[in-house]
Amino acid sequence: MNKKILVTGGAGYIGSHTVVELVQAGYKPVIVDNFSNTKPWMVQRLIELVNTDLRVYEGDCVDVDFLKSVFDKEKEIHGVIHFAALKAVGESVAEPLLYYRNNVCGMISVLETMRMFEVKNLIFSSSATVYGVPDKCPITEDQPRKSPSSPYGATKVMCEDIIKDSTRGGCIKAVSLRYFNPIGAHDSGNIGELPVGVPNNLLPYITQAVAKKIPPLKIFGTDYNTKDGSCVRDFIHVVDLAKAHVSTLDYLIKSKENYDIFNVGTGKGTSVLELIDIFEKVNNVVIPREVTARREGDIRECYADAQKIKSKIGWESCKSIEQALEDAWRWQAKLTEIGKS
Ligand code: NAD
Ligand code: WQD
């Protein structure tokens, strides 16, 4: 087997976990990353974890000449998993052009290079953000996409459309995976999420607040019409999400369909207060916190219907939220121990 798979953003959070699963499944990942949102030492950790040498190219996916040079050197790339993107919703409102250039132009450059080198298979990192405020939960893939509330969300909608159009002639086959809320880390504690600056997302904020790196957690509203007043999300273990990419790749390589879309979630809704409670119990810690006003733009409830990926690809999430929260804390504790955070 040993098919070569180009993993853009492979040194990032979801990309690095996917590299581990690709190696375990017998694929040969080749990493491209510009290290704008990760650190080169993550690659070292990754190499130690997979216990094999990895090909890593530092460069920007927007740059077609750079991508051409990678495809040229590597030869026989069988598929691309395109993680590389900027992902901070707030920053995208402040810097929309940065996001459109990086995420949309990056996607176009990847597609152009794939066509040039006749590389057929593409998996794209889309997001549940494309559903906006969902009509109902659980969310099925056929729910309409809504006008995105941020330039970040708009880049995901645009990229999905660009990919769909590019697959029409059949030169490229692609799957867009719409992730819900990835959390957790590899159970070795060797790789995990490495947000630059103060985290926006809930779990990295919690782990850093418990480690006393940042002020107490602000819970953004407990006055929603939900089971306990806090927002509800579909928190999926990052290793389960990584495995979903391997299953999707196996499927895509054999598939006769040019383009499809799948939710990647657990199918279960967990509230912010429930997650806090479980984190404290499994890790035997107290999260310093206070309840504050709602955060603008937050969605009350968002969780996946995960049946389509189960029935067509055969993937479903296995790991519990307890495991994810233990793994996230182990990763943070290890980071603190070695002085990386
Ligand atoms: P991440 O920031 O940890 O990883 C992205 C990686 O891509 C980083 O290592 C970064 O340095 C690199 N990168 C960014 N722009 C690049 C470019 N132009 N050229 C080369 N490398 C570049 O983010 P992540 O959480 O691993 O997310 C991966 C993908 O999944 C992104 O496309 C993101 O939008 C999408 N996604 C993430 C979430 C989430 O909550 N983490 C949810 C839904 C979708
Ligand atoms: C989860 C819940 C907050 C931080 C975002 C993007 C989405 C996707 C995933 C990429 C919400 C609450 C959070 C805090 C809190 N990314 N919260 N205090 O907003 O569901 O989704 O990340 O595609 O596009 O929008 O994730 O982790 O920011 O928030 O109370 O300090 O935690 O209000 O209810 P979200 P999140």
Side-chain angles (χ1 to χ4, degrees):
M1 196 178 167
N2 272 322
K3 292 191 173 85
K4 254 187 212 174
I5 306 297
L6 192 81
V7 186
T8 74
Y13 175 44
I14 307 168
S16 59
H17 289 82
T18 303
V19 165
V20 174
E21 297 305 320
L22 285 168
V23 171
Q24 274 170 16
Y27 287 101
K28 205 168 171 202
V30 175
I31 295 174
V32 161
D33 206 299
N34 66 0
F35 296 95
S36 57
N37 199 38
T38 186
K39 296 278 189 297
W41 58 259
M42 279 289 283
V43 172
Q44 212 38 56
R45 290 281 196 92
L46 199 46
I47 291 171
E48 282 162 25
L49 193 56
V50 295
N51 198 21
T52 176
D53 214 13
L54 291 169
R55 314 270 297 171
V56 183
Y57 293 88
E58 181 170 357
D60 200 310
C61 288
V62 176
D63 181 351
V64 180
D65 288 337
F66 161 69
L67 288 178
K68 273 175 19 190
S69 73
V70 174
F71 279 64
D72 241 345
K73 274 189 209 124
E74 286 301 329
K75 312 250 181 301
E76 293 182 16
I77 290 175
H78 209 79
V80 176
I81 308 183
H82 184 50
F83 292 105
L86 294 170
K87 63 165 181 177
V89 174
E91 184 187 53
S92 79
V93 176
E95 297 279 357
L97 297 181
L98 175 69
Y99 273 66
Y100 288 118
R101 175 175 289 283
N102 193 74
N103 295 4
V104 180
C105 297
M107 182 75 259
I108 293 170
S109 298
V110 166
L111 285 163
E112 280 176 352
T113 318
M114 286 178 70
R115 285 195 70 146
M116 233 177 276
F117 286 80
E118 297 179 2
V119 174
K120 239 182 144 42
N121 303 295
L122 170 71
I123 299 177
F124 170 62
S125 298
S126 189
S127 164
T129 195
V130 302
Y131 294 114
V133 180
D135 292 341
K136 62 178 172 56
C137 281
I139 306 172
T140 47
E141 288 84 350
D142 56 6
Q143 272 203 36
R145 295 179 315 184
K146 299 280 175 56
S147 171
S149 59
S150 69
Y152 167 74
T155 69
K156 292 299 176 193
V157 170
M158 286 178 195
C159 286
E160 284 192 356
D161 289 344
I162 292 167
I163 294 167
K164 190 174 178 198
D165 287 344
S166 309
T167 56
R168 275 211 180 105
C171 296
I172 291 175
K173 294 188 295 173
V175 164
S176 291
L177 295 179
R178 292 177 177 163
Y179 315 152
F180 281 66
N181 290 57
I183 58 167
H186 194 267
D187 62 10
S188 63
N190 265 0
I191 54 169
E193 195 168 4
L194 200 64
V196 172
V198 177
N200 298 305
N201 290 118
L202 179 61
L203 198 56
Y205 199 101
I206 288 177
T207 55
Q208 292 193 24
V210 175
K212 303 213 170 4
K213 305 279 170 204
I214 49 176
L217 171 72
K218 289 188 168 74
I219 300 172
F220 297 137
T222 52
D223 57 349
Y224 286 93
N225 181 20
T226 57
K227 46 189 163 185
D228 58 20
S230 64
C231 291
V232 171
R233 294 288 183 273
D234 188 335
F235 297 103
I236 172 167
H237 197 301
V238 67
V239 171
D240 275 342
L241 176 58
K243 287 179 194 291
H245 290 79
V246 176
S247 304
T248 302
L249 193 58
D250 295 342
Y251 160 86
L252 182 63
I253 288 169
K254 290 189 213 119
S255 170
K256 298 212 164 16
E257 286 176 53
N258 287 349
Y259 182 63
D260 211 344
I261 292 168
F262 297 92
N263 288 338
V264 194
T266 65
K268 281 194 282 282
T270 303
S271 77
V272 170
L273 290 178
E274 284 173 334
L275 181 130
I276 288 171
D277 190 45
I278 302 169
F279 188 95
E280 291 190 327
K281 283 206 180 99
V282 297
N283 294 313
N284 198 21
V285 294
V286 173
I287 302 172
R289 62 180 181 268
E290 56 176 323
V291 175
T292 63
R294 293 180 179 191
R295 181 171 69 177
E296 200 190 321
D298 267 343
I299 287 160
R300 180 175 64 87
E301 202 164 49
C302 175
Y303 57 94
D305 181 313
Q307 283 308 309
K308 184 177 171 191
I309 190 165
K310 184 177 176 188
S311 59
K312 275 190 95 167
I313 296 187
W315 172 90
E316 64 183 320
S317 73
C318 304
K319 287 180 175 271
S320 65
I321 194 156
E322 283 81 1
Q323 277 172 296
L325 298 180
E326 275 181 51
D327 292 338
W329 181 234
R330 186 180 306 109
W331 158 246
Q332 176 64 50
K334 218 165 167 177
L335 272 182
T336 311
E337 191 184 296
I338 58 163
K340 299 273 193 201
S341 165

